[in-house]
Amino acid sequence: MIHRRQASRGLAAALATLVVLTAAGCSSKAKGGDATGTDAGGVKSGTGVTDKTIAVGALTDMTGVYATLGKSVTQAQQLYVKQVNAAGGICGRQLELTVRDHGYDPQKALSAYTELEPKVVGYAQFIGSPFVAAVKQRVDGQDKGVVLPQAWSASLLGSPYIRVLGATYDVETINAVDFLVTEKGLKAGDKLGHVYFEGDYGENALAGSKYAAGKAGLTVVEQKIKPTDNDMSAQVAALKQAGVKAIVISAGPRQAASLVGVAAATKLQVPVVGNNSAFAPQLLGTQAGPALEKMYWFASPSLPIGADTPVAKKLVADYKAAYPGDSLDNGIVAGWTAASVFGEALKKACAAKDLTREGVDKALLTLNSYDAGFGMKHDFSDPKAPSSRESVILQPDKTVPGGMRTVREPFVSDAAKSFTPKAG
């Protein structure tokens, strides 16, 4: 879904801005911090929590490269908040989702974080691995508000407050290669192509494909690309000449569509599997649509929005009623799952009579088998590990809600079980 785009201009801006924001953050905490109070019921509260409300932040992308996805994630979380409040709220308080659109701009993202930091108990959404990584030191050292990012880089592991929801890209790629071996005929001695974005997302995924290849006796043929590279003709030509028998792509939806379309047109008839961020249902309406339905699969950290579960069916109906003009995609699942996890942590914190940031984080650590209704159980007890190692293999299908159907139910490959993600 969402990954680190490492353009040099963006990184330079992020690093320059971080120096300013870190100083601003220290100043803010020196003045206030997570000052606590206690209500009539004996529940302690701190930053972002009053006797009537609980403010939760959402740092999203509504106008940048992930605008469609950011909109889905945010609207799903707004729907969650609306339903929770209609049912009486949490701990006798109404939830407030405070949204800021950073447009996938480093300076805007970090400025928005600093603005919301003294106002919210934590974040149910933070789009963009580089932006989350940029504030990681602040979060761990002084802010200590739970962050549930819509990003799956292993570099975000290791923080007690920033918690990755689902398999990291390396683990996900290992599972994807297992699918190619067990179900698509890839065998020892074969060459596996891997097209990947430069930077953390692609390189994290590449670590997974290399590990899986080593276990399966495969040779990885690498093709590194930039996020600005949209035509995959050169990459397909190189992989065809190398004689690859399958391809992994760790890039964006546009690159995946080009790769599959060009491969089909040039008779490179091999299975292609992508990471969870390498598909958008809108692609099915393009010229690449038929090829995607025939020769493309992708790994996901959850069942799709069109899954046959009670939660999925209810969410589809409720989302359509709330946003009748919008299409369905897995951003809805990501947003709903993160909001549900945050809500569950708040409920546990309430039961422990501690709605401070530290109290919410301690409550999150007690969730070791949480199912948001999309086929995965999440374990948040170990900050150094992703909440799950499971993946679902999906295939594009324009006939089903959300344009995705499940072809392999949640699983963990043997290679993924033995792999240790490298935490940041």
Side-chain angles (χ1 to χ4, degrees):
M1 266 183 224
I2 301 169
H3 56 268
R4 180 173 183 175
R5 303 178 75 98
Q6 203 173 19
S8 59
R9 179 188 63 80
L11 285 180
L15 291 173
T17 306
L18 179 59
V19 175
V20 177
L21 296 185
T22 300
C26 292
S27 175
S28 171
K29 290 309 272 190
K31 292 178 181 178
D34 194 13
T36 60
T38 305
D39 66 14
V43 178
K44 291 194 297 182
S45 61
T47 303
V49 180
T50 71
D51 59 351
K52 294 182 179 179
T53 62
I54 300 174
V56 180
L59 300 172
T60 191
D61 177 9
M62 303 282 274
T63 53
V65 295
Y66 289 110
T68 300
L69 186 62
K71 181 180 180 182
S72 308
V73 172
T74 302
Q75 290 185 164
Q77 294 189 336
Q78 289 170 331
L79 179 61
Y80 173 85
V81 167
K82 182 179 179 180
Q83 292 185 356
V84 167
N85 286 342
I90 293 176
C91 211
R93 296 161 168 86
Q94 295 283 285
L95 295 185
E96 293 180 350
L97 188 68
T98 306
V99 180
R100 293 292 182 271
D101 171 26
H102 57 56
Y104 216 84
D105 177 270
Q107 185 171 357
K108 290 180 180 178
L110 296 174
S111 294
Y113 174 84
T114 295
E115 180 209 343
L116 293 190
E117 191 280 324
K119 302 175 183 178
V120 299
V121 67
Y123 304 83
Q125 180 186 169
F126 199 159
I127 286 180
S129 295
F131 315 146
V132 181
V135 300
K136 186 174 184 289
Q137 185 175 357
R138 274 189 58 181
V139 172
D140 291 350
Q142 60 191 53
D143 298 342
K144 299 182 178 179
V146 168
V147 178
L148 301 181
Q150 278 61 53
W152 291 265
S153 172
S155 67
L156 299 179
L157 298 175
S159 167
Y161 307 102
I162 301 170
R163 311 308 298 278
V164 177
L165 288 165
T168 45
Y169 290 123
D170 43 13
V171 172
E172 182 178 80
T173 306
I174 293 169
N175 288 335
V177 174
D178 179 79
F179 168 74
L180 292 172
V181 171
T182 59
E183 300 191 28
K184 295 300 167 185
L186 202 61
K187 61 184 185 299
D190 285 344
K191 292 181 179 179
L192 171 67
H194 194 156
V195 179
Y196 63 97
F197 274 160
E198 64 179 5
D200 194 49
Y201 160 43
E203 288 163 15
N204 187 211
L206 181 65
S209 68
K210 285 185 172 180
Y211 183 84
K215 292 290 186 180
L218 308 171
T219 300
V220 176
V221 180
E222 298 179 31
Q223 288 289 304
K224 182 190 293 188
I225 62 173
K226 294 180 171 63
T228 52
D229 295 336
N230 294 320
D231 182 359
M232 296 295 103
S233 297
Q235 287 72 31
V236 170
L239 294 175
K240 185 176 182 179
Q241 184 175 3
V244 302
K245 300 300 183 182
I247 301 171
V248 174
I249 180 163
S250 305
R254 185 177 299 176
Q255 289 79 15
S258 176
L259 177 75
V260 174
V262 173
T266 57
K267 309 299 183 184
L268 181 58
Q269 301 291 340
V270 299
V272 181
V273 62
N275 289 100
N276 73 70
S277 56
F279 179 72
Q282 291 83 356
L283 296 176
L284 295 176
T286 69
Q287 289 183 336
L292 287 167
E293 290 189 282
K294 183 179 180 180
M295 56 185 288
Y296 187 58
W297 294 262
F298 61 101
S300 169
S302 74
L303 291 171
I305 185 63
D308 186 19
T309 71
V311 171
K313 289 180 177 179
K314 184 177 186 302
L315 181 54
V316 166
D318 292 346
Y319 193 87
K320 283 183 175 180
Y323 311 106
D326 294 324
S327 59
L328 300 172
D329 60 35
N330 264 18
I332 301 168
V333 178
W336 184 268
T337 298
S340 299
V341 169
F342 207 104
E344 189 66 16
L346 289 173
K347 293 173 186 176
K348 294 283 187 181
C350 177
K353 296 186 180 300
D354 189 354
L355 282 175
T356 64
R357 286 178 172 175
E358 291 282 11
V360 175
D361 182 64
K362 288 179 181 178
L364 182 62
L365 289 168
T366 69
L367 300 182
N368 56 19
S369 186
Y370 182 73
D371 184 356
F374 286 92
M376 302 291 198
K377 288 187 176 180
H378 295 273
D379 181 356
F380 298 97
S381 62
D382 182 3
K384 294 182 180 179
S387 68
S388 170
R389 289 175 180 262
E390 289 185 305
S391 295
V392 178
I393 303 298
L394 305 178
Q395 186 171 20
D397 185 344
K398 64 183 177 182
T399 67
V400 301
M404 301 162 280
R405 63 184 176 90
T406 302
V407 297
R408 189 169 181 182
E409 297 289 334
F411 74 101
V412 184
S413 64
D414 288 340
K417 292 176 184 176
S418 63
F419 178 76
T420 302
K422 186 177 180 180

